[in-house]
Amino acid sequence: MNQSVKAKALDRIDISILDTLQKEGRIANVDLAKKVNLSASPCIDRVKRLEKEGFIEGYGARLNSSKLGYGTAAFIQVTLDRTTSDVFDKFREAVVMIPQVAECHMVAGGFDYLLKLRLPNMEAYRSILAQIVDLPGVAQTHTYVVIEQVKNDRGLPLKHHADASTPPL
Amino acid sequence: MNQSVKAKALDRIDISILDTLQKEGRIANVDLAKKVNLSASPCIDRVKRLEKEGFIEGYGARLNSSKLGYGTAAFIQVTLDRTTSDVFDKFREAVVMIPQVAECHMVAGGFDYLLKLRLPNMEAYRSILAQIVDLPGVAQTHTYVVIEQVKNDRGLPLKHHADASTPPL
DNA sequence: GATTTAACCGTATATAATCTGGCATTAATG
DNA sequence: CATTAATGCCAGATTATATACGGTTAAATC
């Protein structure tokens, strides 16, 4: 079973609701209903269902990171000194505590973790790197500073999914 | 001048509003007002101002990517064959068109672009990589598949910002 | 110290969310 | 094939919320 609730398959309208909500999370239910060609009641019922079944995890404002002091981003590749699970656990536990670490991915390939940092500027990088290097188990790091954000999609390409591969349960 | 509107400095309440909205984007204004110790009117005025001044760029639902057929992520490092600006432009133009490319960052370091892909599964990776390799100017690529998402913060750590470095305008 | 400005609050009105009951369509069942 | 059950929808009524307005306070300015 899935998410504590039996999830039926999503139909065209559900997809349309999800797609609309991920772009306009604060749209009025009345307007959402119009957009998906439904009246208000079944529309809000579907939204509530999508929330309860876990397709929608929450809502959030998209903030302008530059204007709020986080205009710089950097990626750090981290290699740990040993690949035992307790070393991994210690590192994970510590890295998630650093607020400037926006993302931390364990990856397969030439290193162990890929971190994405958000920073006010390049001066701030120095102190963050010092923290990263001091994290438990860290053997070496390599940094790539982002020069330009070419694309940064928050949303999923739901409309492009109506084809092969993993159909939404 | 900034964003077509003269932006005054953000006070404690503004920060609190932004922080709340990035976590609960669909909170009722009445409840938001309570949370930041304001009555409804000035609260909504501030939200409207923050939107107009560009601190809030929009709102969106957070969707469960696994349940919607995008449970796998991968990073691809891309090196272009020449570093002339027209090669860069062509590549950029083409890469943003691929819906599975969630992010594309131009970076300083050993390669030129770092892409983040969202995929249904590993089988889907093959066809996407073929597309990436065929993009104009691509000399070589290196892929890192995400084994585990240790952290994936959508929001900015606003509360931790009340210190040094770039103060919000 | 008077005047202006800015920010707030409370109230009133407009708008939207939510609940209820009933209808239509479809699927399951006898 | 007819009946029943289930599902999904709509419309209207009620409750709650958003929004606009006028007035008050407090700070800033001259």
Side-chain angles (χ1 to χ4, degrees):
Chain A
M1 194 60 37
N2 251 350
Q3 227 77 10
S4 77
V5 185
K6 58 282 178 90
K8 300 188 49 179
L10 301 179
D11 63 14
R12 201 166 299 102
I13 299 179
D14 290 321
I15 298 293
S16 184
I17 288 174
L18 291 174
D19 193 48
T20 303
L21 282 179
Q22 83 176 338
K23 290 167 188 155
E24 302 174 61
R26 243 186 128 102
I27 189 175
N29 182 59
V30 195
D31 298 329
L32 176 61
K34 266 177 218 151
K35 196 158 199 166
V36 302
N37 299 313
L38 236 54
S39 71
S41 321
C43 185
I44 204 170
D45 285 347
R46 279 170 180 265
V47 172
K48 289 284 151 64
R49 177 171 60 82
L50 291 168
E51 290 170 353
K52 186 175 303 190
E53 290 176 353
F55 293 100
I56 299 173
E57 295 177 339
Y59 301 88
R62 285 187 291 268
L63 305 185
N64 184 318
S65 45
S66 298
K67 300 190 74 165
L68 290 165
Y70 290 102
T72 301
F75 288 89
I76 302 190
Q77 299 176 346
V78 175
T79 304
L80 299 191
D81 51 21
R82 278 173 302 158
T83 54
T84 57
S85 71
D86 63 310
V87 171
F88 280 10
D89 291 345
K90 291 272 186 196
F91 173 78
R92 266 197 284 261
E93 198 180 319
V95 79
V96 298
M97 297 301 293
I98 303 177
Q100 289 88 353
V101 173
E103 301 178 22
C104 174
H105 309 270
M106 184 182 181
V107 299
F111 51 94
D112 297 314
Y113 289 95
L114 181 61
L115 275 48
K116 182 176 181 179
L117 302 187
R118 52 196 158 201
L119 305 163
N121 47 51
M122 278 309 294
E123 290 90 67
Y125 168 69
R126 172 190 287 267
S127 73
I128 299 297
L129 181 63
Q131 286 184 58
I132 303 285
V133 169
D134 281 347
L135 252 31
V138 171
Q140 58 169 291
T141 68
H142 199 306
T143 298
Y144 299 94
V145 176
V146 175
I147 307 279
E148 184 195 353
Q149 289 245 6
V150 178
K151 186 177 187 180
N152 197 358
D153 250 21
R154 324 277 283 243
L156 269 34
L158 298 180
K159 295 300 179 66
H160 297 267
H161 188 80
D163 59 337
S165 64
T166 316
L169 224 299
Chain B
M1 193 60 39
N2 250 352
Q3 227 75 10
S4 78
V5 184
K6 58 282 177 89
K8 300 186 48 179
L10 300 180
D11 63 15
R12 202 166 298 103
I13 298 179
D14 291 321
I15 297 294
S16 184
I17 288 175
L18 292 174
D19 192 48
T20 302
L21 282 179
Q22 83 175 338
K23 289 167 189 154
E24 301 173 61
R26 244 188 127 98
I27 189 175
N29 181 59
V30 193
D31 298 330
L32 177 61
K34 267 176 219 151
K35 195 158 199 165
V36 302
N37 299 314
L38 235 56
S39 71
S41 323
C43 184
I44 205 170
D45 285 348
R46 279 170 181 264
V47 172
K48 287 286 150 63
R49 177 171 58 84
L50 291 168
E51 290 170 356
K52 187 176 300 189
E53 290 175 354
F55 292 100
I56 297 173
E57 295 178 338
Y59 301 87
R62 287 186 290 266
L63 305 185
N64 183 318
S65 45
S66 298
K67 301 191 74 164
L68 291 166
Y70 290 103
T72 301
F75 288 89
I76 302 189
Q77 300 176 345
V78 175
T79 304
L80 299 191
D81 52 19
R82 278 173 301 157
T83 54
T84 57
S85 72
D86 62 310
V87 171
F88 280 11
D89 291 344
K90 291 272 186 196
F91 173 79
R92 267 197 283 261
E93 198 179 318
V95 79
V96 298
M97 298 301 295
I98 303 177
Q100 288 86 355
V101 173
E103 301 178 23
C104 174
H105 309 270
M106 186 181 179
V107 298
F111 51 95
D112 297 315
Y113 289 95
L114 182 61
L115 276 47
K116 181 176 181 179
L117 301 187
R118 53 198 157 199
L119 305 164
N121 47 51
M122 278 308 294
E123 290 90 67
Y125 167 68
R126 174 189 287 266
S127 73
I128 298 298
L129 181 62
Q131 285 184 59
I132 303 286
V133 169
D134 281 348
L135 252 31
V138 171
Q140 58 169 293
T141 68
H142 199 307
T143 298
Y144 299 94
V145 176
V146 174
I147 306 280
E148 184 195 352
Q149 289 245 7
V150 179
K151 186 177 187 181
N152 199 357
D153 250 20
R154 325 278 282 243
L156 268 34
L158 298 180
K159 295 302 176 66
H160 297 267
H161 188 77
D163 59 336
S165 64
T166 317
L169 224 300

